[in-house]
Structure formats: C-alpha cells, structure tokens
Amino acid sequence: MQNRIKVIPLNPVYFWSFADYVAGRQNPIENWYSGELSEAARFQFDDLLKNTAKIQNHLLWGGFKFLSGEPKKYSIWQLDFIDDRRQYRVLGVFQSGRRAVLLEGCYHKGKVYTPRN
C-alpha cells in the first residue's frame, strides 16, 4: 500500500476581498456584526467570508443569489447562513477589481426580512 500524504497549502489563494459600506459614521455591517450576532453566528459569518473569498466564480458561492424585485436593478445579491436557528442574510454588491461590498446584515423568516428596509 502506498503512503498517502495530505498536502495543506500554507498560503491560500484569495480571489475576492470584502468591504463594509459606510455612510457618514454609520456602518450597518459592523453594527449588525457586533450588536445582533451571537459569538457562534460571528464565527459562522467569518468562516463564510473566508471560504467564499477562495472561490473564483461568485455564482458558485454557497448561499449566493441575486435578489429579485426592486433590488434587482441595483444588482444586489445575498449570502446566507444559518446559526442560532435563524436564517441570516448578508446583502451586498460587486465593485470592480473582485471586491464585494457588504451593505447590510439581517435575518429572514418566511418572506419577512428583519430589519425590513
């Protein structure tokens, strides 16, 4: 039987970078992250971004989809993850240079987003 060696890359390749949208002194993602997410949900969100950044084609990101209706004309998309028995959504847009700008974090139940706007 041959020896099998598992190779673990020391320097992973990141295709995407993520940035928060900041309007004046308001940073909706930071407020959501530090104020509304539990520690477990924050770890889940951090892992989602870390793993998503390694996938070159955004259409292959887990939990990715473009929103329909009014947000569609602005090309707003969402990433989703589940923790604390909640379906969390992170809304964002793409910027040139493989940068994803995160606009807002929320949770989702049925067809209701919280916060609504």
Side-chain angles (χ1 to χ4, degrees):
M1 185 151 114
Q2 296 179 350
N3 292 334
R4 294 184 183 220
I5 299 173
K6 182 176 181 180
V7 177
I8 301 172
L10 297 177
N11 297 320
V13 175
Y14 295 103
F15 294 102
W16 292 91
S17 64
F18 294 93
D20 296 355
Y21 172 75
V22 178
R25 293 181 178 221
Q26 297 295 319
N27 183 336
I29 290 292
E30 182 60 36
N31 295 341
W32 172 75
Y33 183 87
S34 61
E36 296 184 35
L37 293 181
S38 67
E39 185 177 12
R42 285 194 299 269
F43 286 134
Q44 184 81 5
F45 178 64
D46 293 343
D47 283 346
L48 174 69
L49 293 184
K50 181 181 75 173
N51 292 329
T52 299
K54 297 175 190 176
I55 301 172
Q56 191 169 9
N57 184 349
H58 67 276
L59 297 174
L60 300 177
W61 291 354
F64 174 86
K65 77 172 189 176
F66 282 102
L67 296 181
S68 59
E70 181 72 18
K72 183 177 183 176
K73 72 179 179 181
Y74 301 106
S75 299
I76 296 176
W77 46 263
Q78 76 176 19
L79 284 175
D80 62 10
F81 67 98
I82 297 173
D83 201 71
D84 301 329
R85 291 194 238 171
R86 279 188 164 172
Q87 297 178 21
Y88 289 101
R89 304 290 189 258
V90 180
L91 306 179
V93 293
F94 292 117
Q95 205 175 40
S96 62
R98 292 197 172 270
R99 177 178 289 238
V101 179
L102 306 177
L103 303 173
E104 179 73 59
C106 57
Y107 66 91
H108 182 264
K109 183 159 181 138
K111 294 187 178 201
V112 178
Y113 286 83
T114 304
R116 295 182 65 98
N117 58 358

